[in-house]
Amino acid sequence: MARILFVMTGATHWTLDDGTRHPTGFWAEEFVSPYQVFVDAGHEVAVATPGGVVPTVDRASLEPDVNGGQENADAFERAVEENPVLKAPLRLEDVDPAEYSAVFYPGGHGPMEDLADNADSARVLTHTVDSGTPLGVLCHAPAALLAARREDGSHVFSGYRLTSFTNEEEKQVGLADKAAWLLQDRLEGIGADFTAGDPWQPHVVHDRTLYTGQNPASSTALAAEVSRALT
């Protein structure tokens, strides 16, 4: 059995270009599906957030139209409400990444707000890749990669082949024109080798010990690849 750390957003909103606060948090499927993959494989999952705040689910991620119907939406909502690790997260500031066999970042727009410049998250990310520990980062969570820099100012993930929620997908949800910045643009700006799959289709990219998934549809496939890396 391996211990897996989920680093999750503690944000409840995403600040748009005009200062408007767009309600958000973590995306339900991006926590629930990977969590189930890891637990089914016999692993133990812990959750950490900035300040140890209980993470907020993005209510939009519980709507029937993004979950293939009401039955699936209800199942995700129950899974979120009943999961004990979500109710008692660790303080990210206190986490020692050396205690975990893998690290996983679920998405939602929340990481754009509080993880894109978080030094404790950057510390965890840098240790994880430098130690050769599998790292899975999903959808908008690659925003956290932007904060990871070396002492000389260079970006830890420059040159890595990766993916994230794309500009096209942000356009299709109607937020691209309202955003202060777009994740794909920022990742390309730090020198990442960005690859985009078809919108809303599963797309997972593996480079060294970094595993990234493009969107919610990539949740299960991404977690499965990280889980295989632990065997």
Side-chain angles (χ1 to χ4, degrees), residues 12-152:
T12 59
H13 69 272
W14 176 33
T15 305
L16 301 179
D17 194 37
D18 65 357
T20 301
R21 291 187 167 192
H22 177 74
T24 188
F26 70 91
W27 198 260
E29 181 179 2
E30 297 178 25
F31 168 79
V32 173
S33 295
Y35 177 87
Q36 199 61 53
V37 168
F38 293 128
V39 170
D40 287 348
H43 304 311
E44 176 187 348
V45 173
V47 167
T49 63
V53 302
V54 175
T56 297
V57 65
D58 189 327
R59 300 305 301 182
S61 71
L62 300 175
E63 293 295 326
D65 61 344
V66 299
N67 289 303
Q70 190 67 54
E71 184 176 356
N72 289 340
D74 290 344
F76 279 128
E77 185 163 14
R78 285 195 303 272
V80 168
E81 291 178 349
E82 297 173 2
N83 192 296
V85 300
L86 287 176
K87 299 175 182 178
L90 305 171
R91 281 170 39 91
L92 183 58
E93 296 83 347
D94 301 333
V95 163
D96 179 0
E99 296 179 353
Y100 299 91
S101 300
V103 176
F104 194 91
Y105 278 65
H109 281 104
M112 302 276 283
E113 185 72 22
D114 68 345
L115 295 182
D117 59 357
N118 185 287
D120 292 293
S121 173
R123 171 181 59 83
V124 170
L125 289 166
T126 302
H127 178 277
T128 301
V129 295
D130 286 351
S131 64
T133 301
L135 172 63
V137 194
L138 180 58
C139 198
H140 285 92
L145 306 183
L146 301 173
R149 291 176 177 265
R150 303 290 184 189
E151 290 185 2
D152 63 3

